[in-house]
Every structure is written in structure tokens, then in C-alpha cells.
Amino acid sequence: MSRIEQTFRDLKKKGRKALIPYIMAGDPSLDATKKFVIDLERAGADIIELGVPFSDPLADGPTIQRASERALQHGTTLKKVLALVKEIRRQSEIPLILMTYYNPVFKYGTGAFVKKAVSAGVDGMIIPDLIPDEAEDFIRLARQHRLDTIFLLAPTSTRERISRVAKASTGFIYYVSITGITGAKLSVGKSMKNRLDSIKSVTKKPVAAGFGISNPEEASKVAKLADGVIIGSAIVKLISQGKSIKNFIKAVRKAV
Amino acid sequence: MNKKSDKVPDSKGHFGQYGGRFVPETLMPALIELEKAYRKYRKNKDFLQELKILQKDFVGRPTPLYFAGNLSEYLGGPKIYLKREDLCHTGAHKINNAIAQALLARRMGKTRLIAETGAGQHGVATATGAALAGLECEIYMGSEDIRRQALNVFRMKLLGAKVTEVTLGSKTLKDAINEALRDWTTNVRNTHYVLGTVFGPHPYPVMVRDFQSIIGIEAREQIMKAENRLPDCLIACVGGGSNSIGLFHAFLKDNIRMIGVEAGGHGIKSGKHAARFAGGSLGIFQGCKSYLLQDRDGNVLGTHSVSAGLDYASVGPEHCYLRDLRKIEYTYATDREALRAFELLSKIEGIIPALESAHAITEAVKVASSMNKKSIIIVNLSGRGDKDVQEVARIKGIRL
């Protein structure tokens, strides 16, 4: 069982939901990112998503686009993020997921990347522009080396897409809680519940929801419907303003 | 992923190892819906009839195949014919695709069109299609391009479109595409994205090619009528690659030399160009796998060309496939060469070409010297140069 699966299983036993914060690696620096990871873990995060900056982040809203630009300006690359994970592993065993677009992985060499990521201590991958239909090689390599492949579902997903994505995903399934990009406005309502129910009717795998969840109130509402709550833009914004993220995460932890 | 199939592209839009669908999951249902609708309507008599009438009465098709006698004589070699896409309504071949997609979107029950634009030609064509089809329209354009193409911005507004400035990233065409994709991801239920070239996720590369293939179908008939034989060489410029594939496609089985001309900018060594085949490598960008100008970490590089329509970091996947099969050769023309061809054609034929098309003219001049007088070349004159006059004056240091 992977570290991510184990985390969801342990939480379920305790009747709790996973809190999954996202931060952009290298914004404002890789050293800072390392410190944030430790802070987030201490403040109650269960799993951490590290964003890898890319020149053309087409699934991201302005907050993460700007963070990505800053991280690139500071020379952050996929290679350096892998080295960072290796360093974090000296201090922390918290499950780590990299979120990156496909081209940096493809350019690195999918096979070489998967091996290197696992040996550095990466537990799972989220690649928003890689759908299962195009991921045959990636999935095969990831299974071979025990790297979780977390694919996304959206409010627009049809039954056919839900089964395909559920089958291809390991660790958990990422439910995109809005029809839109990261950081956009969320509405938690009946339709979200219906959609999560229809995913749950197809698979027993955990489902974590993200995109647009920006405060403890929203996190609390989403936590009632999903197995985990992913928060990105709200944290990235605090970091960009030089504000502390510990108190925010503690508040969200309480709410989830 | 690279399963062998007789059909090209395969059911998922792969041209050999190129193409496919690399998009957020949110867009997948829309792409599948679009593919189904396209498959249905491309054989639907009503749709084809409606399109045919508009191509004739609104766009002005068929466009002439013009024997460029002065240019042919000046070069002293082969007979050069120009396929006059510059005479299309709105000034370029872009309208062929935009009108067809607007009609398709209306039949799919969409109420809103969005599009990206670099120089503004595709934006103007889409705004025109939206006005014609009675649809709402929003065009994304980088702030750099808005500054350079103020006239086209105003044209789009006159046509009723909203023009939205993109201020992030490099503030040019690729960033406009990112923003259009983000809009589509958000408003996918009522919105159709009119992608302007043979690029992006399946079915766009196939669909746009089919809507542009009328260029070659007409040219084939026209040259048979004029010369009673097929040409020896076809030449077109390649940005995303829609005007070139539009001309070439009807001739693919004929064993004719075909040359695609990319933007060489300041030269390949300078790094300031958009020659993806000469300077790029395999990558995944904005929806498909293709040749891409990228750094060693997989980030997309900035590009440069005097012609905004060729100034893009990647190229249509079918072009990569046809290049591997050696059906099409690819070369490039530099900014300087294109500017020279721009002036040459203006003076000698009385036709001011778009700077994009001037890249193709450059190549015609180059190959003409190695061909005899009986040979025939067709050059796709993809657009007219009115939009470029101001920029060329600026480059020449002339104040208007």
C-alpha cells in the first residue's frame, strides 16, 4: 500500500478528512519551500502538493500563474524540485505529490523521471494536462515503480469519463470542484454532492476536492462531501504577500 | 500510445506519434461533443449547403489562381501561380475556418464564440463569423499584440466582439491561447472555442484542415483548367500550418514537391525565430504532441518573427507526420528575406502580400533558379499585406 493510500485509510479509521495544501516550489525560494513543508505538516496537513513551475500553466488562475512566473525567474526546474524533495525527506515522511504539466516530465524522459521521483521520495503525481487516454506509458512506469497516478475529474465529466479516470487513478482521485481554473469562485451545493456521489458509486478510491476552496468555511463544507480538501491559491496568495501560512492552515485544519 | 493503425489520424487524433489530446479533464466532454458534431455535420447536406453558399457569396470563393506573369518573367524560370487567398473577405484564408466553425457552433446550440489571435487576422475572422451567425464573441489577445495591431483591435470591436487583453506570460499569441483555453474550461457549457489553426487537441487539427482544404481542391481544378496538368511544386508559409495544409492536402497523393516555409526571424543561430523544425524538438504544448521550441527543462521558449502570424512556438501535428513521411519539406525564410519579397511582389505584380505569405514568396524565388521554364509552381498567397503596411514602414524608419 502506498503512503498516500495508507494516509487516507488511517484518516478514515479516525473519521477524519485529509487536508492537502498546495504550494509552488521555488516561490519565493526552494529553501523557503522546504520550510513551508515542515510548517504545513506541523500545522496539520496530511499530504502536501508541490507545484512545479511551467511557462504555460493553462489550468491555473492568475494567483498560481504569477507564482509560477516568480519561481521560474528564480531558476526553479523539475530537477531542482526533485533535489528539494530528497532534502525534505531527511526531515519529514509526509506524503508528497508533485503537480506539474506534462511537458517538463516528457522532456526529462517519462521513464527516467518516474525512477528519479520515486527514489527522491515523491509519492504521487498530478499532471492536469495529461488525461488517462494519453498516459499509457506513464501509468505503466508509475505502477512498476510504485508512484501514485492521481487523475482529475470535473463537474463536466460524463459517466464514461468517471469510470476511465477512476480506473487509472491510484492514491486518490482529484475532483475539480468548479468548472474552471484554480483560484476561481467556488459554490458548494447540491450539484457538488450529486457529482461526488456519482463518482463514489463507481469507485471505492478516496476522492479529494480542490480548485476554488479559499477559506475554512468552504473547506468545512467540502470536507462533509469529499474524503479530502485541497487548498492552493489561497495559500499561494498568503505566501506572495509575505504573510504566515501556519495560522491559516490551523484554522482550516480545525474546520476540516 | 503509439499503436499502429491504418487510419491517420487514429480515433484519438494521433498522426503517428504526434497529435492527441493533452488538455484538462474538464474539456474532455466538450472535445468529444465537438468531434461527434463535426463528424455528423461534415456529411450533413443542410450544413454543407449553408457553408457552400456563404463561401461563395460572403467569403468570395472560389479565390482566383493567378498567373504571376511579371514575377515569372523576372525570375526567368518556372511559371508561378498565386492562389489568391488574400482576396477572401477579411483579407486572409482564416475566414474559411472561422465561418465553418461558427456555423457548427450554432448548430451545436452554443451561444458564444471565443478565439485567440496574434496579429488579429483570426480574431477578425472569428468576430466576423460570430456577427454572421448571431453569436456572442470574445477574443483574447496579448497586450504586446494589442499595441502592435491597434487597427485590427478596432475592427474586432466594430464587428461586435469583446477584445480581452492578456497581460501575463510573454503577452503574445501563446498566452492568448492559454487564456482562451482557461475561458473555455470555465464556460465550456455554452461556449465554443474557435481555434484558428491545425493545432491543439483532437479534433481541431483534422477539422481545421478539412475546412481549409478547399484551397487545394480549388487550386487543383484551376491549374488543370489553365495548364491541363498538375504543378511541379507547391509552396506555402507555416505558422500553425493551416494555409499550407489547406493547399497541400488535395495534392498529397500526387507526388508533387511541397515546401512549407517557417519564420527564420533573425536566423536560427540567433535564437530569435519560429523555425520549429530547424530549431525545436518533440514536446507537448497547448493540447498536442508536436515539434516545439523549448528549453532543456521543457519550458516553452519565446519566439520571434516579423510576421505575427508565424510567430508561434509549435506547429500542427500533421505537419510533423508528413515531414517524417517526406511528403513535405520544410525550410525557413528570415525577416530580411520576407521583407524583400514583400516589396518585390508589391512592385512587380501590384499585389501587397501579408508578411506571412512573403515568406512563401521568398522560397519561390529561391527554388525558381533551379527549375526550367516549363515547370509550374503554385504559391499560396494566404493573406493581403494591408495589415502589415504600418509595421513595414516602421521597420524602414518611415513615419506615416
Side-chain angles (χ1 to χ4, degrees):
Chain A
M1 187 180 298
S2 78
R3 191 147 40 182
I4 294 171
E5 285 167 344
Q6 189 66 51
T7 302
F8 275 99
R9 184 167 294 201
D10 293 348
L11 286 167
K12 200 173 181 183
K13 273 185 205 155
K14 293 180 202 157
R16 287 175 55 194
K17 300 298 172 77
L19 171 59
I20 310 174
Y22 165 103
I23 53 174
M24 174 62 72
D27 176 38
S29 71
L30 288 167
D31 282 343
T33 303
K34 188 171 144 192
K35 187 181 160 292
F36 291 145
V37 168
I38 307 299
D39 288 351
L40 289 169
E41 186 181 13
R42 284 189 191 142
D46 299 299
I47 296 170
I48 292 170
E49 254 184 59
L50 286 178
V52 180
F54 178 55
S55 54
D56 296 85
L58 59 83
D60 286 302
T63 303
I64 293 180
Q65 286 176 52
R66 287 198 190 95
S68 183
E69 271 187 24
R70 289 192 296 268
L72 283 175
Q73 274 162 17
H74 301 151
T76 314
T77 62
L78 185 57
K79 270 181 203 160
K80 288 185 184 171
V81 176
L82 288 176
L84 171 74
V85 170
K86 211 169 182 176
E87 259 189 61
I88 291 171
R89 280 287 169 249
R90 290 192 197 146
Q91 294 178 46
S92 170
E93 287 302 314
I94 190 162
L96 289 172
I97 296 168
L98 297 193
M99 180 155 174
T100 176
Y101 290 82
Y102 191 39
N103 198 50
V105 172
F106 180 76
K107 183 76 181 167
Y108 195 107
T110 306
F113 170 79
V114 168
K115 272 186 229 163
K116 190 86 190 199
V118 170
S119 77
V122 174
D123 297 289
M125 292 297 299
I126 299 172
I127 307 178
D129 61 345
L130 182 66
I131 55 171
D133 318 51
E134 294 285 353
E136 230 174 82
D137 288 350
F138 170 67
I139 291 172
R140 184 174 46 76
L141 290 159
R143 295 286 179 278
Q144 201 181 322
H145 295 278
R146 301 170 147 262
L147 181 68
D148 278 333
T149 55
I150 297 142
F151 289 96
L152 297 89
L153 280 170
T156 52
S157 297
T158 54
R159 214 171 164 77
E160 194 199 337
R161 297 302 306 167
I162 293 174
S163 348
R164 191 187 272 267
V165 167
K167 203 170 150 230
S169 296
T170 56
F172 67 92
I173 297 162
Y174 192 135
Y175 178 70
V176 176
S177 43
I178 46 178
T179 308
I181 52 177
T182 57
K185 193 155 170 42
L186 177 74
S187 110
V188 189
K190 205 168 171 200
S191 68
M192 185 169 181
K193 183 178 181 308
N194 291 340
R195 294 215 166 86
L196 285 164
D197 285 347
S198 69
I199 297 171
K200 290 284 185 186
S201 73
V202 176
T203 179
K204 287 197 171 69
K205 291 172 186 169
V207 181
F211 278 42
I213 303 167
S214 64
N215 56 49
E217 295 76 47
E218 286 170 348
S220 161
K221 281 186 203 164
V222 173
K224 290 192 179 86
L225 306 175
D227 303 304
V229 179
I230 303 164
I231 301 190
S233 298
I235 301 172
V236 171
K237 197 178 248 170
L238 287 175
I239 291 174
S240 75
Q241 293 163 345
K243 290 183 186 157
S244 158
I245 55 173
K246 269 194 211 160
N247 293 336
F248 178 75
I249 292 301
K250 278 182 190 160
V252 177
R253 174 75 275 173
K254 231 180 199 173
V256 171
Chain B
M1 204 156 31
N2 303 323
K3 269 180 209 142
K4 290 236 164 73
S5 159
D6 295 342
K7 226 182 110 231
V8 175
D10 69 10
S11 62
K12 287 175 179 170
H14 299 112
F15 298 85
Q17 64 169 321
Y18 310 104
R21 278 175 173 148
F22 294 86
V23 290
E25 185 64 38
T26 310
L27 291 178
M28 274 307 287
L31 289 170
I32 293 167
E33 180 196 0
L34 177 62
E35 188 193 350
K36 277 187 188 150
Y38 173 59
R39 261 202 244 140
K40 176 178 159 191
Y41 285 115
R42 75 176 171 183
K43 287 176 191 152
N44 177 288
K45 271 189 193 152
D46 281 356
F47 176 77
L48 293 175
Q49 186 60 21
E50 188 184 12
L51 184 58
K52 200 173 169 185
I53 290 170
L54 288 172
Q55 282 170 339
K56 179 170 168 284
D57 298 336
F58 189 76
V59 177
R61 305 206 71 89
T63 58
L65 183 71
Y66 168 68
F67 173 57
N70 295 346
L71 181 66
S72 303
E73 196 180 328
Y74 171 80
L75 295 174
K79 287 179 153 180
I80 298 175
Y81 282 83
L82 303 177
K83 180 61 175 163
R84 299 292 306 274
E85 292 300 296
D86 61 317
L87 294 177
C88 287
H89 178 43
T90 71
H93 73 290
K94 291 287 183 193
I95 193 82
N96 300 328
N97 168 51
I99 292 282
Q101 284 200 46
L103 295 183
L104 184 64
R106 193 170 62 184
R107 285 183 185 248
M108 288 169 72
K110 304 287 179 184
T111 56
R112 179 171 175 264
L113 299 182
I114 56 169
E116 81 291 346
T117 198
Q121 290 305 103
H122 176 57
V124 167
T126 303
T128 302
L132 178 73
L135 303 171
E136 200 188 322
C137 183
E138 184 164 352
I139 306 293
Y140 288 94
M141 193 167 181
S143 44
E144 269 302 301
D145 292 330
I146 285 186
R147 188 184 56 75
R148 288 189 288 206
Q149 299 287 341
L151 196 64
N152 269 341
V153 174
F154 187 58
R155 285 171 84 195
M156 288 182 259
K157 288 180 181 166
L158 280 175
L159 292 159
K162 182 181 172 197
V163 180
T164 299
E165 185 172 354
V166 180
T167 56
L168 285 163
S170 63
K171 306 176 181 70
T172 58
L173 177 61
K174 82 177 174 74
D175 308 280
I177 294 178
N178 287 335
E179 208 50 35
L181 282 166
R182 291 182 188 116
D183 178 314
W184 201 31
T185 305
T186 307
N187 301 300
V188 60
R189 290 187 175 91
N190 71 350
T191 297
H192 173 69
Y193 178 21
V194 185
L195 193 66
T197 190
V198 287
F199 196 72
H202 181 59
Y204 284 104
V206 178
M207 183 174 72
V208 177
R209 175 197 76 197
D210 290 351
F211 288 149
Q212 292 293 2
S213 64
I214 187 152
I215 300 172
I217 292 168
E218 286 177 5
R220 204 168 196 283
E221 269 177 33
Q222 289 164 324
I223 198 72
M224 289 305 291
K225 210 169 190 182
E227 296 282 351
N228 202 25
R229 72 173 185 91
L230 292 172
D232 302 286
C233 180
L234 305 174
I235 302 174
C237 63
V238 183
S242 71
N243 90 78
S244 50
I245 217 114
L247 173 65
F248 296 165
H249 216 258
F251 296 92
L252 277 177
K253 289 184 183 139
D254 294 319
N255 204 23
I256 289 172
R257 187 174 182 203
M258 301 185 196
I259 308 173
V261 188
E262 298 185 281
H266 296 323
I268 305 304
K269 277 185 190 154
S270 74
K272 289 182 174 163
H273 62 84
R276 290 69 44 104
F277 289 122
S281 57
L282 197 57
I284 286 140
F285 182 53
Q286 293 182 331
C288 65
K289 189 186 281 183
S290 183
Y291 273 80
L292 175 65
L293 293 170
Q294 57 184 327
D295 68 17
R296 58 183 184 172
D297 296 305
N299 287 302
V300 179
L301 290 170
T303 51
H304 165 82
S305 170
V306 68
S307 118
L310 305 182
D311 198 355
Y312 184 63
S314 190
V315 59
E318 189 170 11
H319 283 281
C320 306
Y321 177 72
L322 293 171
R323 178 175 177 261
D324 286 357
L325 293 181
R326 296 175 190 275
K327 292 261 188 198
I328 307 178
E329 312 162 30
Y330 293 84
T331 183
Y332 59 87
T334 63
D335 284 0
R336 190 174 295 179
E337 290 172 326
L339 285 162
R340 235 173 3 226
F342 178 87
E343 292 192 34
L344 174 68
L345 198 71
S346 301
K347 277 184 191 139
I348 212 168
E349 287 289 355
I351 297 172
I352 302 176
L355 281 172
E356 290 78 10
S357 319
H359 285 69
I361 299 290
T362 300
E363 184 59 20
V365 172
K366 285 183 195 169
V367 299
S369 61
S370 63
M371 293 171 83
N372 65 41
K373 289 200 172 194
K374 282 181 187 160
S375 305
I376 299 168
I377 299 177
I378 297 178
V379 180
N380 199 14
L381 202 70
S382 56
R384 68 179 83 133
D386 305 34
K387 69 181 175 60
D388 297 314
V389 168
Q390 218 160 9
E391 181 65 5
V392 171
R394 192 189 64 78
I395 291 166
K396 288 172 75 86
I398 297 164
R399 283 187 64 177
L400 296 178

